[in-house]
Amino acid sequence: MSKARASLSRTTLVHLALIGYTLIAVFPVFLTLINSMKSRNAIFRNPMQLPTTETFDLVGYTTVLGQGDFASYFQNSFIVTVAAIALVLLFGAMAAFALSEYRFRGNTLMGLYLALGIMIPIRLGTVAILQGMVATGLVNTLTALILVYTAQGIPLAVFILSEFMRTVSDDLKNAGRIDGLSEYAIFFRLVLPLVRPAMATVAVFTMIPIWNDLWFPLILAPSEATKTVTLGSQLFIGQFVTNWNAVLAALSLAILPVLVLYLVFSRQLIRGITSGAVK
Amino acid sequence: MGSLQLKSVRKSFGPVDVLKGIDLDVKDGEFVIFVGPSGCGKSTLLRIIAGLEDATSGSITIDDQEVATVPPAKRGIAMVFQSYALYPHLNVKDNMGLGLKQAGTPKDEIDRRVAKASAMLSLEKYLTRRPAELSGGQRQRVAIGRAIVREPKLFLFDEPLSNLDAALRVNTRLEIARLHRELKATMIYVTHDQVEAMTLADKIVVLDAGVIQQVGSPMELYNRPANLFVAGFIGSPGMNFIDAGRLGVSDAKTIGVRPEHVALSRDAGTWQGKVVHVEHLGADTIVYLESEAIGTLTVRLFGEHHHAVGDVVFATPSADQTHRFDAVGQAIR
Amino acid sequence: MSDATSSRDTMAPIRRPRRWHIAVFLLPAFLVYSAVMILPLIETLRLSLFNTVDGEPAFVGLANFKVLFGDARWAADFWNALKNNVIFFIIHMLVQNPIGVALAAMLSIPKLRFAAFYRTAIFLPTLLSFVIVGFIWKLILSPIWGVSPYLMDLVGLKSFFSPWLGKPDTALIAVSLISVWQYVGIPMMLIYAALLNIPEEVIEAAECDGVTGWSQFWKIKLPLILPAIGIISILTFVGNFNAFDLVYTVQGALAGPDKSTDILGTLLYRTFFGFQLQLGDRSMGATIATVMFLIILAGVSLYLFVIQRRMRRYQF
């Protein structure tokens, strides 16, 4: 009886602590979202209040959508992220397959070489990357960003995917060889479909830092035509510091796609992290 | 047709020699089984025959054609894997037909062969199912069907029964024996289970440490083992080995006698011993003796016998069924 | 094997075609990775040994480093940034990781209701960009808006409020805590995964031995998740000594007030690209990047060759 009560009070304490931290984690985001839909006066007078019929006002959004070129920023971010993820997955999976499937001289060395980039941030090479991009005329193009993010994503992709590819049955690949499939067909038709869950995990891990990155867009592609959402909102908000409606609306617009994607995919994402990350 | 010849096939992984010169002749229509303890090189040898692994040196001919550098799909072989290795994204029919499709076989020919193989294995009802929707036994039959439709010169089996439970294992063993009779095809089969080897094979190849220890029919191996390893490996419980010196025999180092070739008596016999343990298996009774003259002795008696631990009994080996081995373990004939 | 060479041709090693497909599989990743990541990194390290002398690039040996560490124009900024970065890292280790472990320990209590909800919610900030996070907190901590004083009033602490981000002696702590707020999800998830990996039998055996509750956590679970704590520590280290975005967003390139939040990343940015009146300096930028590289390399090596070797990995 007493033990049951003790554990009940312990559970209550745990829930209180978790609810407390959940509030800390979510509240700032929530606050931004609700205030973005209020009139200027209401933002300052009652920041904690949900928008009511009187205080509801979308003036922030109309300012943002009227001023900044957000549609094109979104498009840029989208192109860069999707292209980089596709290349990371394709190149990373190919390299992971070569490393996990074949015995050849230099296999371990190549594995270590590719793994270097997991720990050493690509940013440290920025000085020379910019030089290279200037020399090849890629500055202020989305290609520059795609290349950098592909290089940045490959090490982790190779690492995670080769772990998973080692679990694909050798017998299956050999059955394919006996049935006359080429090594390329074995990779694309047998192995890739089987590591799809790992590919999803890698895609998420690759996507978040790319979408959120400020450094490389700022340095390699700051022109109006190539601005990404992160850089665009950074500059936009910088200009409109005093227009709270616009700032809050811009923030909300930047949060929303991430929020929606997260709510849809959170289960897969968390499963990916908990199953694949600590091995 | 389907004959196979191996000439001094060697395989090393770096400094480790896995196969140390294998010579072997397999005639058309033979059922040959490679047995040996794990790590003896039997699976590597099978994979070299299939072309999945390259031999370091030596020659491999199938139907008198050198195939050492020919890719697996072009060797005219088919393989059944331990883990079935069915393509998870293809249904049963496509699993069986993929190899033919890759080789450019016309569609109606593929259909005909798949229909024939699935009838042979009673798989007609499952042709549109995916592997995940089949039981273990059904999957193994699909894997065998996939080999049959290729109409190969050589069937290769890599421990095909070890993932099945005991009852299914016996059924599938009978099935494979029946297929061999019907197809009259050459089959090479790897297992570590001597019961499978004894019951299925025309010819058994015993491997240990990368070397062929003996090749022969099951009964040859049982009755005339070439050396200590084969004598100990074939038969269960294993052969008793007695130091020849303790018996006063001077022209041999070791004397071997199978547990089923020893008679027990309470009154008189060659060796006196004390019962230390008894196992009752129903059809057999296994008695373990400790004898001052020869050490431990295992005796297999047919039917039910009652001996209590501690009883003193006499054991007598059947005279013409003892084996003699020399100092390096070779049988003396 | 020596006898093999002496005999007939069948014993000769078998010649087989080159396996070109291995190269084809490796090449794209190798090329992109080498060209865009490794070579620029090496080039950056090389540039740190050069400087412009009389308008011509010239090899200057370690002179750039001497300037960075000792010259009046550079040294103060550099040591300030390094000191701030160390503080930034220490705050993460002392706040982010313990909170992460505590949250993970609570979440992994068996049959805890709403665990999935808590997990999802607490991980949310990790996905947001620094830009969003930075501005949100800038607004919330702003004395103009008054959200923070209002909230602190609710718990009777209103008098403690001050514009932390604007004061030199509190700005760095405030920025660090914002970063902690954003990233606590990562240690939480990794520790959570490590805790889930502990087999149930081990916990049940502990229950049978009377090791329960807190002592169970300290004596059984914590030793088993030490490797995961090692991983999050090195991840935090690399992330912190490479940080830039948050400070840049919240405090600008000057990392104000009065460079009190300047860290190596912002110093690199200002040095390389210049700001306001100062011109960008490629060589000194490369020098700072090299120092950052060496710091991170030292940390990673320490982890790989000392900490990870000493740490027992348990096979379940």
Side-chain angles (χ1 to χ4, degrees):
Chain A
M1 190 60 200
S2 70
K3 183 156 189 225
R5 203 182 300 145
S7 99
L8 183 69
S9 67
R10 211 185 77 180
T11 314
T12 315
L13 275 179
V14 165
H15 276 287
L16 281 178
L18 285 170
I19 291 171
Y21 199 86
T22 303
L23 284 179
I24 295 176
V26 177
F27 175 75
V29 176
F30 176 72
L31 194 68
T32 309
L33 291 179
I34 60 168
N35 281 296
S36 72
M37 291 181 278
K38 295 200 288 203
S39 67
R40 190 179 161 81
N41 278 340
I43 292 174
F44 284 97
R45 210 171 301 135
N46 286 315
M48 300 301 174
Q49 210 171 49
L50 284 173
T52 62
T53 41
E54 289 148 49
T55 57
F56 183 77
D57 196 339
L58 291 178
V59 63
Y61 289 91
T62 48
T63 317
V64 173
L65 297 174
Q67 294 273 344
D69 201 355
F70 267 80
S72 113
Y73 300 163
F74 261 112
Q75 197 188 331
N76 289 338
S77 276
F78 189 76
I79 293 172
V80 168
T81 311
V82 169
I85 288 178
L87 291 179
V88 165
L89 288 180
L90 178 66
F91 295 172
M94 283 165 67
F97 183 67
L99 292 177
S100 63
E101 177 65 15
Y102 306 111
R103 276 192 301 262
F104 57 92
R105 216 175 297 132
N107 183 317
T108 320
L109 204 65
M110 179 63 86
L112 286 176
Y113 176 72
L114 289 175
L116 265 183
I118 297 177
M119 284 299 185
I120 305 295
I122 191 171
R123 266 181 201 184
L124 300 180
T126 305
V127 175
I129 292 177
L130 180 60
Q131 267 185 349
M133 294 298 174
V134 171
T136 48
L138 288 174
V139 165
N140 278 327
T141 63
L142 296 181
T143 316
L145 292 179
I146 292 169
L147 280 175
V148 168
Y149 293 141
T150 305
Q152 169 184 293
I154 280 174
L156 192 65
V158 171
F159 182 74
I160 295 180
L161 290 176
S162 55
E163 291 277 308
F164 273 84
M165 284 183 183
R166 271 180 248 278
T167 67
V168 175
S169 136
D170 281 337
D171 283 357
L172 184 70
K173 289 173 269 188
N174 287 336
R177 288 188 182 111
I178 287 177
D179 276 344
L181 298 183
S182 68
E183 296 299 316
Y184 305 106
I186 286 169
F187 171 68
F188 282 107
R189 284 165 59 185
L190 295 185
V191 176
L192 273 195
L194 287 177
V195 296
R196 226 180 287 158
M199 302 274 273
T201 306
V202 172
V204 174
F205 284 145
T206 315
M207 186 188 97
I208 297 166
I210 296 179
W211 184 271
N212 287 341
D213 189 37
L214 177 63
W215 177 264
F216 284 113
L218 185 63
I219 290 166
L220 295 179
S223 78
E224 187 57 29
T226 53
K227 256 181 215 147
T228 61
V229 160
T230 307
L231 177 60
S233 37
Q234 204 271 338
L235 293 174
F236 178 86
I237 295 170
Q239 283 163 20
F240 282 77
V241 236
T242 49
N243 185 343
W244 285 62
N245 293 82
V247 169
L248 288 166
L251 285 173
S252 301
L253 280 177
I255 294 172
L256 275 175
V258 181
L259 196 63
V260 171
L261 273 180
Y262 180 54
L263 291 181
V264 175
F265 290 110
S266 67
R267 191 173 296 200
Q268 283 90 328
L269 170 69
I270 287 169
R271 201 186 300 139
I273 298 173
T274 48
S275 74
V278 277
K279 269 198 174 153
Chain B
M1 281 298 285
S3 67
L4 168 76
Q5 271 193 318
L6 304 178
K7 274 201 200 113
S8 44
V9 170
R10 286 165 188 277
K11 174 70 180 175
S12 23
F13 293 110
V16 185
D17 294 335
V18 182
L19 295 175
K20 302 169 187 167
I22 301 287
D23 295 287
L24 185 68
D25 249 317
V26 176
K27 291 196 224 26
D28 184 37
E30 256 184 335
F31 199 130
V32 176
I33 293 194
F34 298 167
V35 281
S38 57
C40 69
K42 57 189 191 295
S43 284
T44 309
L45 184 58
L46 190 75
R47 292 156 57 81
I48 287 176
I49 296 170
L52 296 170
E53 200 92 62
D54 295 317
T56 308
S57 68
S59 108
I60 303 144
T61 54
I62 296 176
D63 280 350
D64 300 322
Q65 261 193 318
E66 176 63 47
V67 294
T69 55
V70 177
K74 303 260 158 65
R75 291 190 181 195
I77 51 116
M79 189 152 169
V80 177
F81 294 91
Q82 177 179 356
S83 61
Y84 324 132
L86 301 180
Y87 307 119
H89 57 298
L90 299 180
N91 66 24
V92 168
K93 185 164 171 284
D94 295 339
N95 254 291
M96 293 206 247
L98 182 70
L100 298 177
K101 212 169 112 193
Q102 285 299 117
T105 314
K107 196 173 172 307
D108 49 337
E109 172 69 8
I110 299 180
D111 288 346
R112 194 185 60 75
R113 291 204 207 171
V114 169
K116 194 176 140 205
S118 51
M120 211 180 261
L121 296 159
S122 18
L123 284 169
E124 299 101 322
K125 277 186 288 180
Y126 310 112
L127 284 179
T128 54
R129 293 210 195 162
R130 300 251 172 126
E133 300 162 320
L134 300 174
S135 70
Q138 288 162 346
R139 286 182 212 181
Q140 189 54 287
R141 295 218 300 280
V142 176
I144 294 172
R146 183 168 66 182
I148 293 176
V149 296
R150 294 171 59 89
E151 298 180 357
K153 295 174 190 162
L154 279 182
F155 279 86
L156 308 177
F157 294 87
D158 186 8
E159 311 214 13
L161 306 186
S162 49
N163 276 3
L164 300 175
D165 64 44
L168 214 46
R169 200 176 294 184
V170 174
N171 284 338
T172 314
R173 202 169 78 202
L174 295 172
E175 186 112 331
I176 291 175
R178 179 176 65 85
L179 283 174
H180 180 238
R181 273 196 305 274
E182 283 177 16
L183 297 169
K184 299 187 175 57
T186 316
M187 294 185 172
I188 297 177
Y189 186 112
V190 162
T191 180
H192 59 266
D193 178 5
Q194 50 155 314
V195 178
E196 275 171 42
M198 299 294 276
T199 52
L200 285 171
D202 296 324
K203 188 153 102 184
I204 295 179
V205 177
V206 183
L207 282 153
D208 184 43
V211 175
I212 292 185
Q213 302 291 330
Q214 189 173 3
V215 179
S217 73
M219 280 309 114
E220 265 169 40
L221 298 189
Y222 179 81
N223 290 324
R224 290 160 51 77
N227 55 34
L228 278 177
F229 179 81
V230 177
F233 191 76
I234 302 285
S236 168
M239 187 183 277
N240 293 298
F241 294 120
I242 304 157
D243 186 4
R246 299 177 87 166
L247 299 175
V249 179
S250 55
D251 60 346
K253 177 79 172 55
T254 309
I255 301 296
V257 55
R258 293 199 182 275
E260 51 268 41
H261 298 152
V262 180
L264 274 197
S265 156
R266 292 184 190 278
D267 314 314
T270 317
W271 304 313
Q272 191 193 39
K274 213 198 260 176
V275 175
V276 289
H277 183 64
V278 184
E279 289 171 352
H280 296 284
L281 302 176
D284 300 328
T285 306
I286 317 274
V287 182
Y288 296 88
L289 303 179
E290 191 63 51
S291 150
E292 265 176 38
I294 54 165
T296 328
L297 188 75
T298 309
V299 180
R300 178 179 180 183
L301 303 170
F302 297 96
E304 231 177 302
H305 296 261
H306 293 281
H307 292 282
V309 171
D311 284 1
V312 175
V313 291
F314 295 89
T316 311
S318 137
D320 51 347
Q321 282 171 312
T322 55
H323 306 264
R324 294 182 306 147
F325 302 94
D326 64 18
V328 291
Q330 293 301 311
I332 303 169
R333 296 253 162 83
Chain C
M1 286 307 289
S2 57
D3 56 339
T5 47
S6 62
S7 49
R8 308 183 319 265
D9 55 344
T10 53
M11 302 287 247
I14 298 165
R15 262 166 215 257
R16 56 188 69 88
R18 284 205 155 268
R19 297 179 294 172
W20 287 112
H21 51 266
I22 297 180
V24 172
F25 281 128
L26 281 173
L27 212 58
F30 178 79
L31 283 183
V32 175
Y33 174 73
S34 301
V36 185
M37 175 147 189
I38 297 299
L39 292 179
L41 197 59
I42 295 171
E43 172 67 8
T44 303
L45 300 185
R46 198 184 65 88
L47 274 175
S48 70
L49 303 177
F50 287 79
N51 209 333
T52 320
V53 180
D54 303 329
E56 292 288 316
F59 181 79
V60 294
L62 296 177
N64 290 336
F65 293 91
K66 232 182 255 167
V67 169
L68 186 66
F69 298 150
D71 187 273
R73 277 177 306 141
W74 293 97
D77 274 1
F78 170 74
W79 294 112
N80 174 50
L82 184 61
K83 186 197 78 193
N84 289 340
N85 219 327
V86 171
I87 296 174
F88 191 66
F89 171 63
I90 291 174
I91 293 177
H92 277 84
M93 288 299 284
L94 292 183
V95 183
Q96 171 189 286
N97 294 346
I99 291 182
V101 173
L103 289 171
M106 289 192 279
L107 284 177
S108 68
I109 293 173
K111 300 197 204 93
L112 184 78
R113 299 183 65 189
F114 313 119
F117 166 76
Y118 294 135
R119 219 170 49 194
T120 311
I122 295 174
F123 196 67
L124 171 67
T126 308
L127 298 173
L128 301 177
S129 79
F130 292 98
V131 171
I132 299 173
V133 170
F135 277 112
I136 289 181
W137 278 100
K138 216 171 150 176
L139 297 185
I140 290 178
L141 295 178
S142 155
I144 304 174
W145 199 7
V147 171
S148 302
Y150 173 82
L151 286 176
M152 293 182 73
D153 198 21
L154 290 180
V155 285
L157 290 172
K158 191 175 182 180
S159 54
F160 285 91
F161 177 79
S162 71
W164 289 296
L165 282 173
K167 288 184 164 179
D169 48 342
T170 51
L172 181 61
I173 296 174
V175 171
S176 307
L177 290 178
I178 295 174
S179 171
V180 167
W181 173 82
Q182 174 170 21
Y183 272 122
V184 85
I186 289 182
M188 178 186 83
M189 281 298 177
L190 295 180
I191 300 287
Y192 177 67
L195 284 170
L196 290 188
N197 270 347
I198 300 176
E200 208 132 299
E201 285 90 345
V202 173
I203 302 302
E204 281 164 358
E207 296 276 342
C208 293
D209 287 339
V211 185
T212 54
W214 270 113
S215 69
Q216 186 180 75
F217 180 80
W218 287 110
K219 290 182 182 162
I220 311 287
K221 292 181 177 169
L222 195 64
L224 295 177
I225 59 171
L226 272 184
I229 293 180
I231 291 175
I232 59 173
S233 305
I234 190 64
L235 287 178
T236 308
F237 180 83
V238 174
N240 285 170
F241 279 91
N242 174 38
F244 161 77
D245 309 42
L246 184 68
V247 176
Y248 181 77
T249 305
V250 178
Q251 308 288 39
L254 271 171
D258 196 19
K259 292 187 181 154
S260 62
T261 53
D262 200 18
I263 55 176
L264 292 172
T266 44
L267 179 66
L268 168 64
Y269 178 82
R270 275 204 319 275
T271 309
F272 182 30
F273 293 97
F275 65 101
Q276 294 172 356
L277 296 177
Q278 183 186 327
L279 285 175
D281 184 334
R282 207 182 60 185
S283 301
M284 290 310 287
T287 309
I288 295 173
T290 303
V291 172
M292 291 167 73
F293 173 80
L294 293 176
I295 291 175
I296 289 173
L297 191 70
V300 172
S301 312
L302 182 78
Y303 170 72
L304 287 180
F305 298 116
V306 181
I307 298 178
Q308 208 190 25
R309 289 270 165 87
R310 292 246 177 105
M311 206 135 49
R312 286 271 247 301
R313 277 184 179 272
Y314 299 93
Q315 288 287 321
F316 297 121

